[in-house]
Amino acid sequence: MNRLRGVVVVIAILAFPISGRAQEAVLAGAVTDTTGGVLPGVTVTAHHLATGNTFVAITDERGAFRLPVRVGGYEILADLQGFGTAKRGAVELLVGQTVMVNLQLAPAGLQESVTVTGEAPLLDTTSSVVSGNIDPRQMQELPIQGRSWQDLAMLAPGSQRNESGDSPTVRNRRDFQVNLDGQQTTSVLVTGGGFGTGAQQQPLYSQDSIAEFQFISSRFDATQGRSIGTQVNAVTKSGTNDPRGSFSGFFRDDKFKTRDFVTGTVLPYENQQLSGTFGGPIIRNRAHFFANYEWEREPNTTVYTTPYAAFNVQLPNVRKQKMAGARLDWQLNSQSRLMSRWNYGIEVQPNSGGGSSHPSATTENKRHNDEAFITLTQVLGPRALNELRGGFSSFYYYNYSVVDWPNHPMAASQGVTVGTPRITFSGFTVGPAANNPQRLGQNVWSIRDDYSYSFDARGRHDVKVGGEFLRLFGFTSNCRGCMGQYDASGAPPPANIQALLPVWNDPTTWNLDALSPLFRRYDVTVGTLQTYQHRNTYGAWVQDNWALTQRLTLNLGVRYDLAMGALANDIAVPPFLEAGRPNDKNNFGPRVGLAFTLTPRTVVRGGYGLYFGEIANTTTSRTQSWTQLTGATIENLPVRANFGSTPFDGPIPTFDQAKQSYCHVRNVPGCIRESLEQILDPKAKVMYSHQASAGFQRQVGDAMSIEGDYTYQGERGGFYSHLMNVTYNPATGANYPFSDVSRRAFPLFGRIGFERYARDGNQHALVLALTRRLANRWSGSATYTLAGYWDKEAQPLSGLEEVPFEVQPDLGNEYTLTEGDQRHRAVFSGILDAGFGFQVSGIYFYGSGMRRATSWGGDVRGIGGTQQGGRMVPAASCETAEARLGVNVLRGSDGSCIIPRTAFVGDPLHRVDLRLQRTFRFGRASVSPLIEMYNVLNHANFGSYTTTVNNTRYALPNVSSNVAYQPRMLQLGFRSTF
């Protein structure tokens, strides 16, 4: 770290006196005379209207110019001795855009100056990516419940977002990357493993601090990476020449809310948000500052809807959130600009949870982030530009059980005094997640350099060569089963379960001995919870946007990524994992695209690329933890009456005691079998995807464009968890029972769980979009996506090798529609200035039913857990399962009855959100009272269902705290500016 800090300091010292400018967008074009002849040597000056910053370029021998600039509105001047001046005003540039503006000069004797009016073209004639821009007007004027800025990603072509959250996608299998002012800010703490996870595990930014953003759904260029899916490029707000500030408030209350769709009652709820911003000049036209602060308080209710009345509690939940930020921009001269930014966020959410599990699953969550970044750039002449970025980010995430448990197995050694024993029945679970409590954190130092150079060789080449380095320090304190887990998945809860667990949040009242006949085994982890990780990540790229002709541009690039130690390479967990495994160094991603101007108003585009993802830090930390943790498993054989209270027939062993009593150490009667979960598969590689697209964009009139693209994403090496201490019968394709110790792949061990990177998936989509910029007092957008997503997990492991013969479809290699598959999705938005200070805006969202993972709710196959064995149905219940599913169950080759993997499809989603506001102006100040109504038609939208077939609540929705699934709600607010 000392060497890295030294490098950063030296580079900053050398670069500080040199000009700096951040490249957020590109202004390009050509200058000609009245005969159409090209004019080299023309001085093109772009004036940033808000700040007075100026950007200057000189046209080359082809009369072309290219200006990397910041986002915003511009006035453009073109000047050459002997000619009059040409001026173009009101050109708007959004983040990630290349806007083409062509100018014409007349001889000075004919005209002294020419002013050209009209908007810049909507077509992007130089890029082949599939993307959408959320502009500043949409950021400020559209109604978004909860005001999470990334919710507006739903407006972009190819977006798959339905709910509210702080990540741009729903799958969260490390398939996205968020870049703020050109710097990666994504948390790499958590792997994610399925649909809808991880929304609470990303940094916080106030919506009032974000100026605009670009959402790239397919085929971003080689300058961006470490994502197999999407990229979000956001720009923070900056100060202007006019000192300006704002103060806003937004308020919701259950008095203005209709009945909940599940409980049929109005659940207690409040929300108060206050936000302030201020910015202005330090030196007019040169240096500007911007600062923001936001505070939010949200009293809510966490609701449990189990099949048991005594467990259906409602818990108060007051979520609190604070966010702040500051930005400094300094333009040293017409060629230079420096930018620095700081952000802070913290959120505390008690009583998080709800649904159809036991209320002891309730947790308290907390997250916070700190960031500081700086951007410096050196202009090296009319053809070259060098951008240098560096900074530091910190992000921490915590969750704890809300249940006090003084006699927790880790109370004495690790100070853990919260949680409950975890009990897994068939169709019902008691206790928090197996990894609760947990604390996860990352500190990341990063530095990045981009060198851009333009030259002519059979057309114009705009080449960008760059590299980056990220130094990660990770911290984890993760329970990984330390509260102990009773396996009762072979049977449903007994009829008197409510009497046996009389006080949901006091495990000392639970009669576990009465459940002893149902318990098959007990697993508990003991040892040291804290682990520390270090990782060096490197990236390098070359991107050439080659304008082969005036009509054809080729986007050619290659990227290389390397993460040293990301796959726990130096960690040994014998006999399953050896240290010194080689790093995955074969991560070259070629990318090729083209954009062809078919007519002045039509562009066709397409291409292909290979994209490598980023391995989350949990892959290393989970594996590392098993060097200082150990999992002890005790079978309930023969069945003991006191197994529930004293599964080891005495005290739970310490780490040293457990290590000495393991069967693979001393194979004697009464020995204990060691269990290990979430060890990295030694054959794991960095996941990647193939992405391809083909489509068009057409401008209609002066204010509207339409576009359509076919997109393909082929995921390879996706993440999932897998039990491997199992063997399989080649005659049936089914596993031998895990209870038959002699049949285990490692008979002297218990449950062994691997983290595999072996899921393959294919998504095909047709993406249509319409964009209308502001004209005649209204603007709007519309997108429609028709998609299908199929995937499969690899053949199961038996020991360290894949099973060499075909297995039953619920055990692996089943290619089918995946969880989260959504066939149709449509979003419309609009903003109307109605006159007299009134404005109306709104969003309509439609999403067809999503597929959900389904299971029977137990381990009928006896595989050792429900991860692979949860879809097998008892023979006597096959007809019952078919009746409840409403579809035919699968039939294994051995005659087994199997639940389809994603048999359940949720109800369609419809939302109409509207805002009405009236602006009153008082000189330079204004006040805008507003009314927002969410889910205007009060359509029953559900974000969670009970999908365990043998649960009596199967197919019924659960109460969701996510604001996207709330009943009709009214919000009152105001925005004042000064």
Side-chain angles (χ1 to χ4, degrees):
M1 286 302 292
N2 290 334
R3 287 195 297 270
L4 175 61
R5 292 191 185 101
V7 171
V8 173
V9 170
V10 169
I11 292 175
I13 291 173
L14 293 174
F16 188 82
I18 304 171
S19 59
R21 178 175 65 218
Q23 179 181 334
E24 298 168 350
V26 174
L27 179 65
V31 183
T32 61
D33 60 22
T34 54
T35 67
V38 299
L39 291 176
V42 178
T43 301
V44 179
T45 304
H47 293 276
H48 192 257
L49 299 177
T51 64
N53 292 170
T54 57
F55 302 85
V56 179
I58 307 296
T59 59
D60 61 18
E61 59 272 17
R62 299 185 300 116
F65 68 93
R66 182 180 176 87
L67 272 171
V69 296
R70 59 187 301 188
V71 298
Y74 283 86
E75 180 183 75
I76 305 165
L77 300 175
D79 183 69
L80 180 66
Q81 186 175 3
F83 290 82
T85 300
K87 181 168 68 175
R88 179 71 176 265
V91 176
E92 184 78 13
L93 275 80
L94 302 178
V95 61
Q97 284 189 336
T98 297
V99 173
M100 304 297 295
V101 176
N102 296 321
L103 300 169
Q104 188 177 86
L105 299 183
L110 299 178
Q111 284 180 310
E112 291 301 320
S113 65
V114 176
T115 299
V116 181
T117 60
E119 297 280 0
L122 287 167
L123 298 182
D124 190 341
T125 61
T126 64
S127 174
S128 58
V129 303
V130 181
S131 67
N133 283 86
I134 311 304
D135 63 40
R137 197 161 188 259
Q138 292 172 310
M139 289 289 297
Q140 180 168 298
E141 307 297 348
L142 287 175
I144 291 294
Q145 184 168 196
R147 301 183 72 244
S148 176
W149 65 276
Q150 289 199 67
D151 288 1
L152 287 168
M154 71 170 67
L155 306 180
S159 172
Q160 300 171 344
R161 187 178 191 82
N162 290 340
E163 67 286 311
S164 179
D166 294 303
S167 59
T169 183
V170 297
R171 292 194 174 93
N172 200 37
R173 291 174 180 156
R174 304 306 313 151
D175 63 350
F176 68 91
Q177 201 66 264
V178 177
N179 306 290
L180 198 58
D181 297 319
Q183 202 76 23
Q184 176 183 320
T185 62
T186 318
S187 164
V188 298
L189 288 179
V190 179
T191 306
F195 166 76
T197 62
Q200 298 298 319
Q201 297 162 359
Q202 293 298 321
L204 295 161
Y205 307 100
S206 169
Q207 182 174 344
D208 287 338
S209 71
I210 306 297
E212 58 180 274
F213 69 94
Q214 178 192 40
F215 179 90
I216 305 177
S217 62
S218 180
R219 294 191 45 257
F220 42 91
D221 69 22
T223 65
Q224 298 180 304
R226 292 190 296 277
S227 167
I228 63 171
T230 62
Q231 290 275 343
V232 171
N233 299 314
V235 177
T236 55
K237 290 182 179 178
S238 59
T240 68
N241 274 337
D242 294 324
R244 304 289 300 198
S246 69
F247 180 64
S248 305
F250 302 89
F251 310 95
R252 285 169 280 166
D253 193 278
D254 53 42
K255 296 182 181 65
F256 307 108
K257 179 182 179 183
T258 58
R259 295 180 178 181
D260 180 77
F261 302 126
V262 177
T263 66
T265 62
V266 177
L267 297 175
Y269 178 81
E270 297 177 48
N271 183 276
Q272 304 97 34
Q273 296 182 48
L274 297 175
S275 177
T277 69
F278 187 72
I282 301 173
I283 303 174
R284 187 173 178 81
N285 294 336
R286 297 281 301 276
H288 305 84
F289 75 94
F290 179 86
N292 73 280
Y293 179 80
E294 181 172 318
W295 171 89
E296 181 178 4
R297 178 179 178 272
E298 186 179 55
N300 202 345
T301 305
T302 299
V303 179
Y304 283 89
T305 52
T306 74
Y308 311 102
F311 301 152
N312 292 338
V313 300
Q314 296 187 6
L315 306 174
N317 175 10
V318 183
R319 182 177 64 87
K320 296 180 181 179
Q321 186 170 278
K322 298 176 184 178
M323 295 174 286
R327 171 169 165 159
L328 172 67
D329 293 89
W330 183 17
Q331 181 161 2
L332 301 174
N333 53 51
S334 62
Q335 295 270 324
S336 58
R337 176 174 166 257
L338 175 150
M339 188 278 287
S340 60
R341 173 178 59 82
W342 168 81
N343 284 93
Y344 167 82
I346 185 169
E347 180 184 67
V348 178
Q349 183 174 16
N351 294 337
S352 177
S356 58
S357 59
H358 188 270
S360 59
T362 308
T363 61
E364 176 179 349
N365 299 334
K366 181 179 180 180
R367 56 175 167 160
H368 70 82
N369 57 281
D370 285 286
E371 297 171 2
F373 290 116
I374 188 168
T375 299
L376 301 166
T377 304
Q378 182 179 4
V379 177
L380 302 175
R383 293 181 177 271
L385 177 73
N386 193 74
E387 300 169 280
L388 180 67
R389 298 182 177 97
F392 170 80
S393 65
S394 172
F395 179 74
Y396 281 73
Y397 174 79
Y398 314 78
N399 63 55
Y400 302 93
S401 173
V402 301
V403 179
D404 290 328
W405 191 18
N407 59 340
H408 191 290
M410 298 286 263
S413 62
Q414 298 294 302
V416 179
T417 58
V418 294
T420 75
R422 182 172 171 83
I423 309 171
T424 56
F425 295 104
S426 176
F428 189 67
T429 300
V430 176
N435 62 351
N436 183 279
Q438 66 173 349
R439 297 178 63 207
L440 308 173
Q442 67 175 37
N443 295 330
V444 180
W445 289 88
S446 64
I447 188 167
R448 171 182 175 128
D449 189 75
D450 289 273
Y451 175 78
S452 301
Y453 185 74
S454 299
F455 64 94
D456 294 310
R458 297 187 178 181
R460 180 184 176 91
H461 296 260
D462 294 309
V463 179
K464 182 175 285 189
V465 180
E468 63 185 333
F469 170 74
L470 293 88
R471 171 68 170 175
L472 168 73
F473 166 74
F475 163 79
T476 64
S477 178
N478 201 321
C479 181
R480 309 201 191 286
C482 68
M483 79 284 291
Q485 177 170 305
Y486 295 93
D487 179 6
S489 57
N496 64 339
I497 184 65
Q498 298 171 85
L500 297 179
L501 310 178
V503 182
W504 70 269
N505 58 351
D506 185 358
T508 64
T509 68
W510 295 2
N511 188 353
L512 298 177
D513 279 341
L515 296 170
S516 292
L518 302 180
F519 294 151
R520 301 192 295 188
R521 63 182 167 272
Y522 175 78
D523 297 273
V524 67
T525 300
V526 293
T528 302
L529 301 181
Q530 294 77 21
T531 62
Y532 305 91
Q533 303 82 42
H534 295 87
R535 182 198 301 182
N536 293 334
T537 300
Y538 306 86
W541 54 86
V542 178
Q543 178 70 37
D544 182 8
N545 295 322
W546 179 12
L548 191 62
T549 69
Q550 290 186 346
R551 299 174 64 185
L552 175 63
T553 299
L554 300 180
N555 307 131
L556 308 174
V558 63
R559 181 183 178 94
Y560 178 71
D561 287 292
L562 175 63
M564 302 295 288
L567 295 169
N569 303 81
D570 294 327
I571 298 172
V573 184
F576 311 106
L577 200 63
E578 295 181 357
R581 302 181 312 283
N583 288 281
D584 185 359
K585 298 181 179 180
N586 190 30
N587 299 328
F588 287 93
R591 299 169 194 183
V592 58
L594 65 86
F596 179 70
T597 304
L598 192 63
T599 72
R601 288 180 171 264
T602 305
V603 174
V604 294
R605 62 196 183 189
Y608 163 82
L610 186 62
Y611 299 81
F612 289 87
E614 184 164 36
I615 302 297
N617 188 56
T618 44
T619 294
T620 301
S621 65
R622 287 170 179 167
T623 301
Q624 181 185 357
S625 66
W626 293 113
T627 65
Q628 56 196 52
L629 287 174
T630 185
T633 297
I634 191 75
E635 305 286 342
N636 191 15
L637 291 173
V639 174
R640 291 190 286 110
N642 66 340
F643 186 84
S645 59
T646 55
F648 288 95
D649 206 14
I652 292 176
T654 65
F655 178 83
D656 292 334
Q657 290 171 343
K659 283 291 188 180
Q660 294 304 312
S661 62
Y662 285 142
C663 297
H664 65 273
V665 176
R666 296 175 61 247
N667 188 13
V668 297
C671 64
I672 300 172
R673 284 174 169 78
E674 184 177 21
S675 293
L676 305 171
E677 297 282 355
Q678 298 178 312
I679 304 172
L680 184 70
D681 180 354
K683 298 180 181 179
K685 300 290 184 182
V686 176
M687 53 191 169
Y688 64 95
S689 70
H690 301 275
Q691 293 187 28
S693 68
F696 75 96
Q697 183 184 21
R698 178 171 176 79
Q699 183 161 337
V700 180
D702 294 330
M704 187 166 64
S705 70
I706 58 174
E707 54 191 295
D709 294 272
Y710 161 77
T711 65
Y712 166 75
Q713 178 178 326
E715 174 187 329
R716 302 294 181 263
F719 166 86
Y720 63 98
S721 298
H722 181 74
L723 297 173
M724 49 73 71
N725 196 15
V726 184
T727 57
Y728 295 81
N729 186 341
T732 64
N735 60 284
Y736 291 108
F738 184 71
S739 57
D740 186 349
V741 175
S742 65
R743 292 281 192 178
R744 295 180 187 176
F746 295 90
L748 300 181
F749 285 83
R751 286 164 49 95
I752 306 297
F754 268 10
E755 292 195 336
R756 299 196 70 187
Y757 285 83
R759 174 188 282 113
D760 293 347
N762 296 295
Q763 182 181 49
H764 301 269
L766 173 64
V767 181
L768 305 175
L770 178 149
T771 302
R772 189 185 193 278
R773 64 186 169 195
L774 181 63
N776 299 321
R777 301 197 303 187
W778 74 278
S779 61
S781 68
T783 65
Y784 169 73
T785 301
L786 171 65
Y789 196 167
W790 294 260
D791 73 354
K792 69 173 182 177
E793 296 176 355
Q795 281 281 97
L797 293 175
S798 181
L800 300 177
E801 302 296 333
E802 286 190 357
V803 177
F805 48 83
E806 193 70 20
V807 296
Q808 296 302 320
D810 58 320
L811 298 176
N813 209 30
E814 178 190 10
Y815 187 69
T816 186
L817 288 166
T818 189
E819 182 180 21
D821 173 72
Q822 187 177 38
R823 189 68 63 246
H824 304 280
R825 191 176 181 281
V827 183
F828 302 88
S829 72
I831 304 172
L832 170 66
D833 291 330
F836 304 100
F838 285 97
Q839 183 184 88
V840 180
S841 60
I843 298 175
Y844 169 71
F845 170 82
Y846 167 78
S848 58
M850 281 191 173
R851 292 188 173 271
R852 312 272 173 164
T854 46
S855 68
W856 173 250
D859 183 15
V860 179
R861 284 204 183 274
I863 202 170
T866 59
Q867 290 173 312
Q868 283 81 49
R871 291 165 51 205
M872 176 77 169
V873 179
S877 302
C878 196
E879 292 184 2
T880 302
E882 284 191 327
R884 301 203 74 188
L885 286 167
V887 297
N888 293 330
V889 299
L890 302 174
R891 296 289 181 172
S893 59
D894 60 349
S896 57
C897 184
I898 301 166
I899 298 288
R901 177 151 60 98
T902 53
F904 181 81
V905 179
D907 294 336
L909 306 171
H910 297 268
R911 289 199 308 271
V912 178
D913 299 337
L914 293 177
R915 172 193 286 183
L916 173 65
Q917 69 181 40
R918 170 74 160 88
T919 299
F920 300 90
R921 301 192 181 278
F922 308 94
R924 286 172 49 88
S926 69
V927 177
S928 301
L930 58 88
I931 299 175
E932 294 179 327
M933 184 174 289
Y934 305 104
N935 196 5
V936 174
L937 303 180
N938 203 34
H939 185 270
N941 296 313
F942 302 115
S944 173
Y945 296 84
T946 300
T947 57
T948 303
V949 178
N950 70 339
N951 189 303
T952 58
R953 283 187 48 81
Y954 171 74
L956 295 179
N958 300 315
V959 176
S960 176
S961 61
N962 193 288
V963 294
Y965 304 109
Q966 297 301 298
R968 182 166 55 231
M969 169 76 75
L970 184 70
Q971 175 167 280
L972 303 178
F974 68 88
R975 179 187 292 116
S976 60
T977 62
F978 53 89

